[in-house]
Amino acid sequence: MELEDHQRWLVDFYKKRNWYNFSPEIRMNFLTEEVGELARAIRTFEIGRDHPGEEKKTRTEKFDNLKEELADVIDQVLILCEKYGIDPKKILEFSEKKLTNRFRN
């Protein structure tokens, strides 16, 4: 799947659910929430969790949850890109250029 295809699908999905209408400020709160969930997924995968209210998960289940939370973070970033009219591929190019220029020897 291409990034643009997923972004188009995602925006359409969010619009159908009336989730797209939230402002970038509110969307940033959603992104922060998803980053927190990703942090928990990474912690659980790497060192585990000993919480009496949670069922024990297999390593595969923990890894699947980590992938799910990474996807949620990416989705929020893609929605923010759409809100600001930014092509996600341009952000990737910008990142490479910035890092290459910053760390030239």
Side-chain angles (χ1 to χ4, degrees):
M1 174 181 292
E2 294 293 323
L3 188 60
E4 305 90 6
D5 296 334
H6 178 69
Q7 185 181 27
R8 277 191 298 275
W9 176 87
L10 184 68
V11 167
D12 184 55
F13 182 85
Y14 272 46
K15 284 180 178 180
K16 286 178 182 173
R17 310 242 350 137
N18 293 319
W19 296 347
Y20 187 79
N21 299 334
F22 293 112
S23 70
E25 294 90 358
I26 292 173
R27 182 73 39 215
M28 190 63 212
N29 289 331
F30 295 154
L31 175 59
T32 302
E33 178 183 340
E34 295 300 347
V35 169
E37 291 174 8
L38 175 59
R40 175 181 270 184
I42 289 172
R43 174 186 172 207
T44 301
F45 184 76
E46 294 295 335
I47 64 174
R49 280 181 54 84
D50 184 17
H51 192 285
E54 296 177 3
E55 291 183 28
K56 299 288 183 199
K57 293 182 180 177
T58 67
R59 188 142 176 92
T60 300
E61 289 171 325
K62 292 175 190 177
F63 192 65
D64 286 346
N65 183 246
L66 190 149
K67 292 186 290 185
E68 176 184 339
E69 298 307 338
L70 276 169
D72 290 347
V73 167
I74 290 171
D75 284 352
Q76 292 304 317
V77 170
L78 290 173
I79 292 294
L80 282 168
C81 285
E82 176 71 19
K83 290 268 185 188
Y84 285 106
I86 299 171
D87 180 351
K89 283 188 174 180
K90 297 293 182 189
I91 289 175
L92 301 178
E93 292 169 8
F94 183 86
S95 173
E96 287 182 22
K97 183 178 178 182
K98 176 189 77 172
L99 291 171
T100 299
N101 289 335
R102 184 178 292 170
F103 294 100
R104 285 196 173 162
N105 292 329

